[in-house]
Amino acid sequence: MPKSSHSLSALPSQTTRPLEQLGLRLRAHRVHREWTVAEMAERLLCSPNTLRALESGKPGTSIGLLAHALWLLGEIDSLDSVAPAPAGLVAKRRVRKSATQGAAGVIAEDERDF
């Protein structure tokens, strides 16, 4: 079955390269601790193949697994620097639609560009 153009394998290199670099850094941390793939996978509660996917930067790998790996490697605080909020933005601020806007998930005629 052919892959859809909407699959994660079709992501641009601007997305995949940083993931691959992150995977290499995770691998370097594991190797520095002298943990084998099997040992790290056991600690992560995943299969060795899943760990290899994480270390290869595969985009379909779980963000939860990434967070767990960072925690095991003593690097969980590094997530705080990922996508910092714009200055002045209040965390957990809710966005509300005005009553004049259409229903959620419905594209208005003036929003269609095709």
Side-chain angles (χ1 to χ4, degrees):
M1 178 197 252
K3 290 188 178 188
S4 163
S5 63
H6 296 295
S7 75
L8 291 176
S9 64
L11 293 175
S13 62
Q14 294 88 340
T15 302
T16 56
R17 263 190 245 117
L19 289 174
E20 291 165 0
Q21 293 299 313
L22 174 59
L24 289 172
R25 290 191 303 274
L26 290 172
R27 182 180 185 281
H29 278 282
R30 175 182 58 79
V31 169
H32 178 74
R33 285 167 179 71
E34 298 181 352
W35 293 345
T36 66
V37 168
E39 290 169 333
M40 180 74 172
E42 184 177 344
R43 286 177 169 97
L44 278 176
L45 307 172
C46 71
S47 71
N49 283 340
T50 300
L51 174 58
R52 285 185 193 97
L54 181 65
E55 289 184 351
S56 296
K58 300 290 185 207
T61 310
S62 161
I63 193 168
L65 186 64
L66 170 61
H68 191 191
L70 290 170
W71 176 77
L72 282 173
L73 296 168
E75 297 293 326
I76 192 67
D77 291 339
S78 66
L79 278 179
D80 290 337
S81 63
V82 174
L89 181 67
V90 178
K92 297 187 180 186
R93 184 179 120 203
R94 295 183 69 181
V95 176
R96 298 189 185 268
K97 290 186 131 195
S98 71
T100 60
Q101 288 182 335
V106 176
I107 300 172
E109 286 300 318
D110 62 336
E111 294 178 314
R112 297 176 195 265
D113 60 359
F114 51 90

XYZ file of all heavy atoms in Angstrom:
863
model
N 0.843 -1.170 0.000
C 0.000 0.000 0.000
C 0.892 1.238 0.000
O 1.761 1.384 0.845
C -0.880 -0.027 1.250
C -1.772 1.177 1.364
S -2.384 1.348 3.002
C -3.971 0.968 3.084
N 0.722 2.170 -0.929
C 1.577 3.348 -0.988
C 1.307 4.281 0.186
O 0.194 4.374 0.680
C 1.193 4.013 -2.306
C -0.118 3.453 -2.680
C -0.256 2.124 -2.012
N 2.364 4.968 0.590
C 2.222 5.899 1.699
C 1.530 7.162 1.227
O 1.772 7.647 0.139
C 3.591 6.245 2.282
C 4.215 5.094 3.005
C 5.450 5.544 3.717
C 6.027 4.368 4.477
N 7.106 4.746 5.340
N 0.702 7.706 2.093
C 0.017 8.953 1.794
C 1.012 10.102 1.875
O 1.974 10.066 2.617
C -1.098 9.150 2.828
O -1.532 10.481 2.838
N 0.762 11.145 1.116
C 1.635 12.318 1.193
C 1.479 13.019 2.529
O 2.239 13.910 2.853
C 1.324 13.272 0.045
O 0.002 13.751 0.168
N 0.487 12.609 3.305
C 0.256 13.205 4.613
C 0.924 12.394 5.730
O 0.755 12.695 6.890
C -1.238 13.325 4.903
C -1.940 14.245 3.955
N -1.687 15.596 3.894
C -2.863 14.001 3.005
C -2.434 16.145 2.965
N -3.162 15.204 2.401
N 1.686 11.378 5.391
C 2.327 10.554 6.409
C 3.539 11.277 6.981
O 4.082 12.204 6.384
C 2.743 9.201 5.830
O 3.894 9.354 5.028
N 3.973 10.830 8.137
C 5.127 11.435 8.798
C 6.405 11.249 7.996
O 7.344 12.024 8.143
C 5.293 10.841 10.199
C 4.201 11.220 11.199
C 4.414 10.492 12.516
C 4.155 12.713 11.419
N 6.440 10.258 7.128
C 7.641 10.050 6.321
C 7.818 11.151 5.281
O 8.875 11.295 4.698
C 7.604 8.686 5.642
O 6.533 8.640 4.727
N 6.784 11.949 5.055
C 6.846 13.019 4.065
C 7.183 14.379 4.689
O 7.057 15.400 4.028
C 5.511 13.108 3.327
N 7.622 14.383 5.939
C 7.957 15.651 6.586
C 9.163 16.293 5.913
O 10.055 15.598 5.421
C 8.266 15.423 8.071
C 7.095 14.983 8.940
C 7.574 14.686 10.354
C 6.014 16.040 8.961
N 9.225 17.611 5.913
C 10.370 18.286 5.292
C 11.642 18.084 6.108
O 11.594 17.820 7.309
C 9.953 19.761 5.282
C 8.963 19.885 6.373
C 8.251 18.549 6.445
N 12.773 18.228 5.440
C 14.065 18.029 6.109
C 14.269 19.022 7.249
O 14.985 18.732 8.197
C 15.214 18.123 5.111
O 15.239 19.412 4.521
N 13.613 20.180 7.185
C 13.722 21.144 8.280
C 13.123 20.586 9.572
O 13.445 21.052 10.663
C 13.011 22.469 7.935
C 13.637 23.226 6.802
C 13.081 22.814 5.441
O 12.511 21.745 5.266
N 13.283 23.673 4.454
N 12.271 19.595 9.447
C 11.680 18.929 10.607
C 12.469 17.672 10.976
O 12.715 17.419 12.147
C 10.218 18.538 10.306
O 9.490 19.707 9.971
C 9.571 17.865 11.490
N 12.844 16.896 9.982
C 13.476 15.606 10.271
C 14.917 15.740 10.749
O 15.347 14.970 11.611
C 13.426 14.686 9.037
O 14.045 15.332 7.924
C 11.988 14.318 8.695
N 15.662 16.702 10.213
C 17.063 16.853 10.641
C 17.199 17.109 12.137
O 17.998 16.451 12.794
C 17.754 17.954 9.840
C 18.552 17.387 8.685
C 19.442 18.432 8.037
N 18.948 18.631 6.694
C 18.446 19.761 6.210
N 18.431 20.841 6.913
N 17.994 19.809 4.986
N 16.431 18.051 12.723
C 16.539 18.252 14.167
C 16.136 17.014 14.977
O 16.719 16.741 16.029
C 15.595 19.424 14.448
C 15.489 20.140 13.148
C 15.603 19.078 12.089
N 15.157 16.242 14.467
C 14.781 15.012 15.163
C 15.921 13.999 15.136
O 16.185 13.324 16.130
C 13.522 14.406 14.538
C 12.219 15.152 14.771
C 11.089 14.513 13.985
C 11.889 15.217 16.252
N 16.580 13.898 13.991
C 17.717 12.987 13.877
C 18.846 13.412 14.815
O 19.481 12.573 15.466
C 18.209 12.930 12.429
C 17.231 12.235 11.502
C 17.510 12.470 10.026
O 18.486 13.195 9.692
O 16.751 11.935 9.207
N 19.084 14.717 14.906
C 20.126 15.222 15.804
C 19.767 14.945 17.263
O 20.629 14.575 18.065
C 20.342 16.726 15.587
C 20.940 17.060 14.235
C 22.314 16.434 14.049
O 23.162 16.502 14.920
N 22.520 15.815 12.906
N 18.500 15.109 17.609
C 18.045 14.797 18.966
C 18.264 13.319 19.257
O 18.751 12.955 20.329
C 16.566 15.162 19.130
C 15.910 14.763 20.452
C 16.618 15.395 21.644
C 14.434 15.136 20.421
N 17.924 12.464 18.314
C 18.132 11.027 18.486
C 19.598 10.697 18.705
O 19.941 9.875 19.571
N 20.483 11.346 17.954
C 21.921 11.118 18.134
C 22.390 11.568 19.525
O 23.226 10.911 20.147
C 22.714 11.851 17.048
C 22.601 11.269 15.641
C 23.283 12.198 14.633
C 23.196 9.875 15.587
N 21.836 12.677 20.002
C 22.203 13.138 21.355
C 21.717 12.158 22.412
O 22.437 11.871 23.381
C 21.652 14.539 21.606
C 22.356 15.621 20.786
C 21.998 17.024 21.236
N 20.587 17.341 21.212
C 19.927 17.798 20.146
N 20.561 17.973 18.995
N 18.648 18.086 20.230
N 20.506 11.623 22.243
C 20.007 10.627 23.187
C 20.907 9.393 23.183
O 21.241 8.852 24.246
C 18.576 10.226 22.839
C 17.503 11.283 23.066
C 16.173 10.809 22.492
C 17.381 11.632 24.533
N 21.304 8.955 21.984
C 22.194 7.801 21.872
C 23.524 8.088 22.570
O 24.061 7.247 23.288
C 22.428 7.445 20.400
C 23.301 6.216 20.238
C 23.523 5.871 18.757
N 24.246 4.642 18.617
C 25.573 4.512 18.762
N 26.313 5.562 19.052
N 26.146 3.342 18.624
N 24.061 9.287 22.381
C 25.333 9.649 23.012
C 25.220 9.588 24.535
O 26.136 9.094 25.210
C 25.763 11.038 22.562
N 24.105 10.050 25.082
C 23.891 9.969 26.536
C 23.856 8.511 26.989
O 24.422 8.155 28.023
C 22.594 10.675 26.940
C 22.720 12.150 27.078
N 23.284 12.754 28.172
C 22.337 13.152 26.252
C 23.253 14.067 28.030
N 22.688 14.330 26.859
N 23.154 7.670 26.212
C 23.062 6.244 26.568
C 24.437 5.599 26.523
O 24.833 4.894 27.463
C 22.111 5.510 25.616
C 22.056 4.003 25.865
C 21.157 3.278 24.899
N 21.483 3.429 23.495
C 22.463 2.764 22.870
N 23.249 1.925 23.529
N 22.661 2.941 21.572
N 25.187 5.832 25.456
C 26.516 5.245 25.296
C 27.452 5.747 26.394
O 28.236 4.971 26.960
C 27.079 5.553 23.890
C 28.545 5.200 23.773
C 26.256 4.814 22.828
N 27.347 7.028 26.751
C 28.168 7.594 27.823
C 27.938 6.851 29.143
O 28.866 6.662 29.923
C 27.867 9.082 27.983
C 28.618 9.735 29.089
N 29.966 10.018 28.995
C 28.210 10.149 30.306
C 30.363 10.578 30.127
N 29.308 10.680 30.932
N 26.702 6.420 29.365
C 26.365 5.668 30.581
C 26.687 4.178 30.444
O 26.454 3.408 31.351
C 24.899 5.873 30.922
C 24.644 7.238 31.516
C 23.176 7.572 31.560
N 22.932 8.873 32.147
C 23.212 10.050 31.588
N 23.760 10.078 30.401
N 22.942 11.186 32.193
N 27.173 3.806 29.263
C 27.527 2.415 28.963
C 26.337 1.478 29.084
O 26.465 0.331 29.519
C 28.704 1.954 29.834
C 29.961 2.761 29.593
C 31.153 2.313 30.430
O 31.000 1.463 31.317
O 32.245 2.844 30.160
N 25.159 1.959 28.661
C 23.963 1.142 28.618
C 23.807 0.597 27.208
O 23.940 1.329 26.232
C 22.712 1.946 28.969
C 22.646 2.437 30.386
C 23.406 2.033 31.436
C 21.764 3.441 30.876
N 23.044 2.727 32.558
C 22.033 3.599 32.255
C 20.776 4.222 30.305
C 21.350 4.490 33.059
C 20.094 5.119 31.103
C 20.368 5.248 32.468
N 23.504 -0.674 27.107
C 23.214 -1.264 25.805
C 21.805 -0.851 25.369
O 21.016 -0.341 26.183
C 23.286 -2.800 25.862
O 22.225 -3.265 26.707
C 24.640 -3.288 26.369
N 21.492 -1.105 24.110
C 20.138 -0.842 23.619
C 19.134 -1.643 24.444
O 18.093 -1.121 24.860
C 20.019 -1.181 22.112
C 18.567 -1.198 21.665
C 20.828 -0.194 21.283
N 19.453 -2.904 24.717
C 18.540 -3.760 25.486
C 18.327 -3.212 26.900
O 17.199 -3.199 27.396
C 19.078 -5.187 25.543
N 19.398 -2.747 27.545
C 19.274 -2.210 28.904
C 18.435 -0.931 28.930
O 17.562 -0.772 29.783
C 20.659 -1.923 29.495
C 21.450 -3.173 29.814
C 22.905 -2.876 30.132
O 23.463 -1.859 29.654
O 23.494 -3.690 30.871
N 18.693 -0.049 27.990
C 17.938 1.205 27.940
C 16.478 0.935 27.604
O 15.580 1.532 28.200
C 18.559 2.149 26.910
C 17.866 3.477 26.773
S 18.194 4.554 28.161
C 17.433 6.062 27.548
N 16.225 0.043 26.662
C 14.850 -0.301 26.297
C 14.104 -0.870 27.501
O 12.941 -0.531 27.731
C 14.836 -1.295 25.138
N 14.770 -1.703 28.272
C 14.136 -2.264 29.473
C 13.798 -1.155 30.462
O 12.717 -1.135 31.030
C 15.066 -3.290 30.117
C 14.446 -3.987 31.317
C 15.336 -5.061 31.903
O 16.294 -5.493 31.245
O 15.064 -5.458 33.050
N 14.703 -0.224 30.645
C 14.454 0.899 31.551
C 13.303 1.770 31.047
O 12.555 2.349 31.822
C 15.714 1.747 31.697
C 16.792 1.110 32.535
C 18.041 1.999 32.571
N 18.994 1.549 33.565
C 20.046 0.783 33.306
N 20.275 0.353 32.074
N 20.859 0.420 34.276
N 13.202 1.902 29.723
C 12.142 2.720 29.115
C 10.809 1.977 29.004
O 9.807 2.580 28.625
C 12.554 3.157 27.707
C 13.451 4.357 27.595
C 13.845 4.594 26.142
C 12.795 5.595 28.161
N 10.832 0.685 29.277
C 9.638 -0.153 29.153
C 9.151 -0.193 27.704
O 7.962 -0.101 27.410
C 8.525 0.325 30.085
C 8.911 0.487 31.562
C 7.795 1.133 32.341
C 9.319 -0.848 32.161
N 10.104 -0.298 26.784
C 9.763 -0.389 25.359
C 10.639 -1.466 24.725
O 11.539 -2.004 25.354
C 9.956 0.957 24.659
S 11.675 1.469 24.451
N 10.392 -1.735 23.481
C 11.198 -2.727 22.773
C 12.504 -2.082 22.295
O 12.576 -0.861 22.129
C 10.439 -3.267 21.568
O 10.363 -2.275 20.563
N 13.526 -2.897 22.058
C 14.763 -2.358 21.484
C 14.521 -1.648 20.150
O 15.151 -0.627 19.865
C 15.651 -3.598 21.314
C 15.184 -4.524 22.387
C 13.691 -4.313 22.441
N 13.605 -2.169 19.331
C 13.307 -1.517 18.056
C 12.705 -0.125 18.255
O 12.994 0.801 17.493
C 12.373 -2.371 17.204
C 13.107 -3.525 16.553
O 14.330 -3.509 16.422
N 12.360 -4.534 16.161
N 11.867 0.028 19.270
C 11.286 1.341 19.554
C 12.371 2.305 20.010
O 12.393 3.468 19.596
C 10.172 1.231 20.605
O 9.149 0.361 20.094
C 9.567 2.579 20.938
N 13.298 1.836 20.840
C 14.413 2.681 21.258
C 15.260 3.072 20.046
O 15.660 4.237 19.905
C 15.281 1.979 22.300
C 16.553 2.745 22.696
C 16.231 4.124 23.245
C 17.376 1.941 23.674
N 15.509 2.136 19.160
C 16.279 2.450 17.952
C 15.567 3.517 17.117
O 16.205 4.413 16.545
C 16.515 1.186 17.126
C 17.559 0.271 17.723
C 17.855 -0.916 16.785
N 18.613 -1.927 17.485
C 18.108 -3.013 18.056
N 16.808 -3.264 17.978
N 18.887 -3.871 18.672
N 14.244 3.429 17.046
C 13.472 4.436 16.313
C 13.630 5.810 16.967
O 13.806 6.817 16.284
C 11.997 4.040 16.252
N 13.591 5.851 18.294
C 13.776 7.108 19.025
C 15.161 7.676 18.751
O 15.312 8.860 18.444
C 13.568 6.878 20.524
C 13.694 8.102 21.430
C 12.597 9.114 21.142
C 13.670 7.674 22.887
N 16.167 6.825 18.822
C 17.541 7.267 18.605
C 17.828 7.598 17.140
O 18.812 8.271 16.843
C 18.527 6.217 19.115
C 18.557 6.123 20.632
C 19.601 5.155 21.156
O 20.209 4.402 20.361
O 19.823 5.149 22.379
N 16.971 7.157 16.246
C 17.123 7.480 14.820
C 16.366 8.745 14.455
O 16.462 9.216 13.327
C 16.597 6.327 13.960
O 17.374 5.178 14.178
N 15.584 9.253 15.405
C 14.810 10.463 15.137
C 13.556 10.223 14.333
O 13.076 11.119 13.649
N 13.013 9.016 14.405
C 11.787 8.713 13.662
C 10.650 9.570 14.205
O 10.388 9.571 15.408
C 11.408 7.233 13.788
C 12.457 6.279 13.260
C 12.559 6.338 11.768
C 13.530 5.282 11.292
N 14.167 5.576 10.068
N 9.949 10.326 13.356
C 8.938 11.267 13.832
C 7.709 10.627 14.470
O 7.002 11.298 15.207
C 8.555 12.058 12.580
C 9.037 11.273 11.437
C 10.152 10.400 11.917
N 7.464 9.359 14.237
C 6.291 8.719 14.820
C 6.501 8.205 16.233
O 5.587 7.672 16.850
N 7.694 8.401 16.773
C 7.988 7.918 18.118
C 7.261 8.788 19.145
O 7.193 10.001 19.002
C 9.507 7.933 18.385
O 10.163 7.283 17.303
C 9.852 7.218 19.658
N 6.750 8.162 20.181
C 5.940 8.836 21.190
C 6.684 9.949 21.917
O 7.830 9.783 22.338
C 5.479 7.787 22.212
O 5.070 8.371 23.414
N 6.005 11.069 22.090
C 6.581 12.165 22.866
C 6.715 11.754 24.342
O 7.623 12.199 25.036
C 5.749 13.461 22.708
C 6.522 14.654 23.247
C 4.395 13.329 23.379
C 5.922 15.990 22.873
N 5.831 10.871 24.793
C 5.933 10.360 26.155
C 7.199 9.538 26.338
O 7.863 9.622 27.380
N 7.546 8.749 25.333
C 8.772 7.962 25.384
C 9.988 8.881 25.394
O 10.943 8.651 26.130
C 8.843 6.999 24.198
C 10.008 6.024 24.202
C 9.913 5.065 25.379
C 10.065 5.268 22.897
N 9.940 9.938 24.611
C 11.029 10.916 24.604
C 11.191 11.533 25.993
O 12.304 11.613 26.517
C 10.761 12.011 23.572
C 11.695 13.220 23.629
C 13.137 12.818 23.378
C 11.238 14.279 22.659
N 10.093 11.948 26.602
C 10.157 12.545 27.932
C 10.704 11.540 28.945
O 11.532 11.886 29.791
C 8.780 13.041 28.359
N 10.281 10.297 28.846
C 10.770 9.262 29.768
C 12.272 9.041 29.573
O 13.027 8.924 30.551
C 9.986 7.969 29.546
C 10.224 6.928 30.598
N 9.795 5.647 30.463
C 10.862 6.962 31.793
C 10.149 4.938 31.525
N 10.807 5.720 32.338
N 12.723 9.004 28.333
C 14.149 8.831 28.051
C 14.948 10.000 28.618
O 16.000 9.801 29.240
C 14.388 8.702 26.541
N 14.451 11.212 28.423
C 15.144 12.377 28.980
C 15.217 12.297 30.496
O 16.240 12.644 31.104
C 14.451 13.667 28.538
C 14.606 14.018 27.061
C 13.684 15.182 26.689
C 16.055 14.335 26.728
N 14.158 11.837 31.127
C 14.146 11.693 32.590
C 15.179 10.656 33.030
O 15.958 10.905 33.952
C 12.744 11.308 33.061
C 12.687 11.062 34.536
C 12.663 12.003 35.524
C 12.659 9.787 35.186
N 12.620 11.380 36.751
C 12.620 10.027 36.577
C 12.654 8.469 34.736
C 12.580 8.997 37.508
C 12.607 7.455 35.672
C 12.576 7.718 37.031
N 15.193 9.493 32.368
C 16.158 8.446 32.709
C 17.598 8.936 32.561
O 18.474 8.540 33.326
C 15.963 7.217 31.816
C 14.810 6.295 32.155
C 14.658 5.239 31.067
C 15.013 5.631 33.501
N 17.820 9.793 31.576
C 19.167 10.288 31.307
C 19.507 11.538 32.118
O 20.577 12.107 31.958
C 19.314 10.573 29.807
C 19.184 9.340 28.907
C 19.042 9.763 27.452
C 20.361 8.400 29.097
N 18.593 11.951 32.992
C 18.840 13.127 33.818
C 18.746 14.434 33.052
O 19.314 15.438 33.466
N 18.009 14.436 31.956
C 17.917 15.613 31.095
C 16.487 16.135 30.944
O 16.213 16.924 30.047
C 18.473 15.277 29.699
C 19.938 14.918 29.682
C 20.831 16.093 30.044
O 20.486 17.238 29.707
O 21.883 15.859 30.672
N 15.585 15.730 31.830
C 14.177 16.122 31.690
C 13.998 17.634 31.722
O 13.121 18.178 31.042
C 13.278 15.428 32.743
C 11.788 15.609 32.411
C 13.590 15.909 34.147
C 11.333 14.909 31.185
N 14.841 18.344 32.463
C 14.710 19.801 32.533
C 14.984 20.475 31.191
O 14.591 21.621 30.985
C 15.629 20.382 33.607
C 15.172 20.011 35.011
O 13.986 19.663 35.178
O 15.999 20.067 35.931
N 15.636 19.773 30.277
C 15.906 20.360 28.961
C 14.613 20.596 28.180
O 14.595 21.411 27.255
C 16.868 19.490 28.163
O 16.286 18.251 27.843
N 13.528 19.925 28.553
C 12.251 20.163 27.871
C 11.729 21.573 28.116
O 10.964 22.102 27.326
C 11.200 19.148 28.326
C 11.237 17.789 27.661
C 10.153 16.886 28.229
C 11.110 17.894 26.170
N 12.159 22.192 29.220
C 11.705 23.547 29.522
C 12.140 24.551 28.464
O 11.514 25.589 28.295
C 12.214 23.995 30.893
C 11.548 23.246 32.038
O 10.432 22.725 31.829
O 12.140 23.187 33.119
N 13.207 24.248 27.747
C 13.692 25.186 26.733
C 13.087 24.935 25.351
O 13.362 25.682 24.421
C 15.218 25.121 26.645
O 15.629 23.840 26.224
N 12.235 23.928 25.232
C 11.596 23.626 23.950
C 10.391 24.540 23.762
O 9.517 24.612 24.619
C 11.147 22.151 23.883
C 10.360 21.875 22.610
C 12.339 21.234 23.997
N 10.367 25.260 22.668
C 9.261 26.147 22.309
C 8.834 27.049 23.463
O 7.703 26.996 23.930
C 8.063 25.341 21.800
N 9.749 27.888 23.951
C 9.375 28.784 25.051
C 8.213 29.691 24.645
O 8.100 30.084 23.482
C 10.646 29.592 25.327
C 11.497 29.414 24.129
C 11.089 28.141 23.464
N 7.362 29.975 25.600
C 6.189 30.805 25.329
C 6.614 32.235 25.010
O 7.591 32.730 25.567
C 5.259 30.794 26.539
N 5.892 32.890 24.123
C 6.193 34.289 23.829
C 6.090 35.137 25.095
O 5.280 34.852 25.979
C 5.101 34.690 22.827
C 4.606 33.410 22.259
C 4.773 32.386 23.333
N 6.922 36.165 25.175
C 6.916 37.038 26.348
C 5.515 37.596 26.569
O 4.830 37.997 25.637
C 7.908 38.170 26.145
N 5.104 37.594 27.805
C 3.808 38.153 28.155
C 2.637 37.209 27.988
O 1.517 37.544 28.351
N 2.895 36.026 27.447
C 1.803 35.079 27.270
C 1.524 34.379 28.588
O 2.426 33.868 29.235
C 2.148 34.031 26.203
C 1.066 33.005 25.911
C -0.138 33.681 25.260
C 1.593 31.929 25.013
N 0.288 34.376 28.975
C -0.100 33.733 30.225
C -0.322 32.253 29.953
O -1.064 31.879 29.049
C -1.386 34.372 30.787
C -1.827 33.685 32.056
C -1.180 35.860 31.017
N 0.356 31.410 30.723
C 0.179 29.968 30.563
C -1.262 29.584 30.871
O -1.910 30.166 31.737
C 1.134 29.223 31.487
N -1.736 28.616 30.166
C -3.081 28.065 30.332
C -4.181 29.073 30.022
O -5.295 28.942 30.491
C -3.259 27.469 31.734
C -2.339 26.308 31.998
C -2.648 25.644 33.304
C -1.700 24.488 33.513
N -1.995 23.702 34.650
N -3.840 30.113 29.277
C -4.843 31.079 28.858
C -5.765 30.411 27.860
O -5.319 29.721 26.968
C -4.145 32.274 28.222
C -5.085 33.392 27.840
C -4.299 34.537 27.241
N -4.817 34.714 25.886
C -4.175 35.271 24.903
N -2.961 35.692 25.058
N -4.726 35.395 23.725
N -7.034 30.610 28.007
C -7.991 29.995 27.103
C -8.328 30.944 25.967
O -8.427 32.140 26.154
C -9.255 29.632 27.856
C -8.987 28.554 28.903
C -10.228 28.154 29.588
N -11.055 27.433 28.635
C -12.245 26.962 28.919
N -12.753 27.120 30.103
N -12.943 26.319 28.015
N -8.503 30.391 24.816
C -8.912 31.162 23.653
C -10.395 30.912 23.456
O -10.844 29.774 23.404
C -8.122 30.720 22.400
C -8.615 31.461 21.177
C -6.643 30.928 22.615
N -11.131 31.978 23.379
C -12.578 31.843 23.196
C -12.971 32.420 21.846
O -12.489 33.459 21.448
C -13.333 32.564 24.312
C -13.040 31.986 25.675
C -13.983 32.612 26.697
N -13.644 32.152 28.016
C -14.176 31.092 28.606
N -15.063 30.379 27.965
N -13.835 30.740 29.822
N -13.886 31.735 21.202
C -14.411 32.217 19.931
C -15.597 33.131 20.215
O -16.360 32.906 21.146
C -14.879 31.056 19.070
C -13.765 30.200 18.542
C -14.325 29.182 17.610
C -13.470 29.234 16.369
N -14.068 28.563 15.247
N -15.734 34.127 19.401
C -16.897 34.995 19.554
C -18.135 34.253 19.059
O -18.053 33.318 18.273
C -16.701 36.292 18.771
O -16.777 36.034 17.386
N -19.262 34.689 19.507
C -20.523 34.045 19.133
C -20.800 34.173 17.642
O -21.562 33.391 17.078
C -21.662 34.654 19.934
N -20.179 35.143 16.979
C -20.430 35.343 15.551
C -19.632 34.390 14.677
O -19.907 34.273 13.497
C -20.101 36.794 15.148
O -18.726 37.043 15.426
C -20.984 37.780 15.882
N -18.629 33.713 15.244
C -17.835 32.775 14.462
C -18.593 31.469 14.288
O -19.439 31.115 15.108
C -16.495 32.506 15.135
C -15.560 33.696 15.049
C -14.220 33.397 15.676
O -14.117 32.545 16.540
N -13.208 34.109 15.243
N -18.266 30.752 13.242
C -18.934 29.485 12.944
C -18.564 28.391 13.936
O -17.748 28.580 14.835
N -19.163 27.265 13.744
C -18.917 26.114 14.611
C -17.483 25.629 14.454
O -16.870 25.779 13.402
C -19.897 24.997 14.256
N -16.966 25.032 15.511
C -15.598 24.508 15.480
C -15.474 23.446 14.400
O -16.351 22.594 14.244
C -15.243 23.914 16.841
N -14.388 23.502 13.659
C -14.130 22.505 12.633
C -14.817 22.782 11.301
O -14.653 22.024 10.353
N -15.572 23.858 11.212
C -16.264 24.190 9.967
C -15.498 25.324 9.297
O -15.216 26.345 9.912
C -17.721 24.617 10.238
C -18.400 25.045 8.952
C -18.484 23.493 10.899
N -15.158 25.139 8.044
C -14.417 26.147 7.286
C -15.422 27.062 6.601
O -16.256 26.602 5.816
C -13.488 25.490 6.249
C -12.484 24.583 6.957
C -12.780 26.555 5.415
C -11.645 23.742 6.017
N -15.325 28.346 6.909
C -16.230 29.318 6.302
C -15.869 29.521 4.846
O -14.732 29.273 4.432
C -16.135 30.637 7.054
N -16.821 29.990 4.055
C -16.587 30.195 2.617
C -15.413 31.139 2.354
O -14.636 30.934 1.451
C -17.846 30.718 1.944
C -18.938 29.681 1.754
C -18.456 28.496 0.887
O -17.768 28.718 -0.110
O -18.815 27.360 1.235
N -15.259 32.188 3.167
C -14.183 33.145 2.932
C -12.821 32.602 3.334
O -11.795 33.216 3.056
C -14.462 34.465 3.653
C -14.550 34.328 5.158
O -14.844 33.221 5.663
O -14.316 35.340 5.840
N -12.756 31.427 3.998
C -11.499 30.803 4.380
C -11.005 29.801 3.335
O -9.865 29.367 3.408
C -11.648 30.072 5.721
C -11.919 30.993 6.886
C -12.116 30.228 8.173
O -12.862 29.228 8.175
O -11.509 30.624 9.178
N -11.817 29.451 2.404
C -11.447 28.477 1.388
C -10.543 29.151 0.353
O -10.896 30.187 -0.193
C -12.669 27.891 0.720
C -13.539 27.126 1.698
C -14.801 26.639 1.009
N -15.772 26.221 1.974
C -15.932 24.985 2.386
N -15.188 24.047 1.885
N -16.859 24.682 3.267
N -9.416 28.553 0.081
C -8.486 29.152 -0.856
C -8.308 28.301 -2.110
O -7.303 28.373 -2.779
C -7.144 29.438 -0.210
C -6.473 28.200 0.313
O -7.058 27.102 0.203
O -5.343 28.313 0.806
N -9.275 27.509 -2.426
C -9.167 26.669 -3.624
C -10.383 26.794 -4.484
O -11.337 27.393 -4.192
C -8.916 25.201 -3.272
C -9.862 24.634 -2.263
C -11.042 24.028 -2.661
C -9.596 24.701 -0.899
C -11.905 23.491 -1.736
C -10.454 24.172 0.014
C -11.625 23.559 -0.396
